[in-house]
């Protein structure tokens, strides 16, 4: 049996699903770069060399990410090889964008803050719609997905945005 005939392992299927989900939910956002990460918290990253959509200053603060927050097996049944089963994951989908910081430590204008809030609400809707999309039944990533909460962040440190939390079953 050749390697092309071998079925994907659960780890490979999960990796594929996470990458496709990242592309689905972040690809529709107008940000400089996006990626998949794991760990206790999101850590800003430098864009890849071929990400030339933004200037250097904007690239640091205009990004989106999918972070695996936690995972657990939710069934005691395993696949035939003793590994696998149904898995529950908590995923964080976040976006941060640049917001103008006035010189001299002055507060941002009401217009700048309103603009950042409106952009965050648009991002909130874009992420949610992409995550919950079931347009192509052939491209179903999860057996279940639950939209948990949107948490706005900022404006602080020259950034504003928010985080969606989703629970998925794989």
């Amino acid at each position: 049996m050749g390697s092309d005939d071998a079925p994907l392992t659960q780890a490979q299927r999960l990796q594929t699903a996470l990458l496709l989900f990242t592309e689905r939910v972040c690809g529709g956002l107008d940000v400089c770069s996006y990626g998949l990460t794991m760990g206790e918290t999101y850590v800003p990253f430098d864009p890849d060399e071929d990400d030339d959509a933004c200037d250097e200053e904007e690239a640091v603060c205009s990004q989106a990410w999918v972070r695996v927050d936690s995972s657990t097996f939710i069934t005691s049944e395993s696949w035939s090889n003793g590994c696998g089963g149904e898995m529950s994951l908590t995923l964080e989908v976040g976006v941060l964008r640049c917001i103008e910081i006035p010189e001299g430590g002055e507060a941002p204008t009401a217009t700048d803050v309103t603009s950042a809030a409106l952009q965050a609400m648009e991002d909130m809707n874009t992420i949610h719609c992409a995550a919950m999309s079931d347009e192509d039944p052939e491209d179903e990533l999860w057996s279940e997905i639950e939209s948990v909460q949107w948490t706005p962040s900022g404006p602080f440190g020259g950034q504003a945005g928010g985080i969606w939390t989703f629970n998925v079953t794989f």
Side-chain angles (χ1 to χ4, degrees):
M1 175 155 88
S3 63
D4 290 342
D5 297 337
L8 294 176
T9 66
Q10 183 175 18
Q12 291 168 325
R13 291 186 324 107
L14 178 58
Q15 291 166 358
T16 300
L18 286 168
L19 289 172
L20 288 171
F21 184 72
T22 301
E23 178 63 34
R24 179 185 290 175
V25 298
C26 296
L29 298 169
D30 182 24
V31 293
C32 292
S33 58
Y34 57 88
L36 172 66
T37 186
M38 298 180 84
E40 289 182 34
T41 185
Y42 160 75
V43 176
F45 48 86
D46 283 333
D48 293 329
E49 289 182 22
D50 58 349
D51 286 345
D52 55 1
C54 301
D55 64 40
E56 188 175 321
E57 183 177 312
E58 186 179 29
V60 174
C61 67
S62 177
Q63 11 187 280
W65 67 92
V66 171
R67 183 177 70 88
V68 178
D69 181 59
S70 64
S71 64
T72 186
F73 282 101
I74 57 176
T75 61
S76 58
E77 298 175 25
S78 63
W79 296 348
S80 61
N81 65 359
C83 182
E86 198 168 39
M87 181 182 280
S88 173
L89 296 103
T90 300
L91 303 177
E92 167 188 290
V93 180
V95 61
L96 288 175
R97 297 183 180 278
C98 300
I99 181 169
E100 187 70 33
I101 298 177
E103 296 290 324
E106 300 166 10
T109 66
T111 300
D112 288 343
V113 172
T114 299
S115 177
L118 293 173
Q119 180 64 60
M121 288 190 299
E122 183 177 328
D123 291 340
M124 173 187 71
N125 188 59
T126 299
I127 292 168
H128 187 267
C129 290
M132 304 305 282
S133 172
D134 61 357
E135 290 179 15
D136 185 0
E138 297 289 321
D139 193 23
E140 185 176 319
L141 303 177
W142 320 112
S143 55
E144 292 181 35
I145 182 168
E146 173 193 17
S147 173
V148 179
Q149 178 176 317
W150 168 259
T151 306
S153 64
F156 53 84
Q159 295 178 314
I163 296 170
W164 258 117
T165 305
F166 296 94
N167 290 332
V168 300
T169 304
F170 176 77

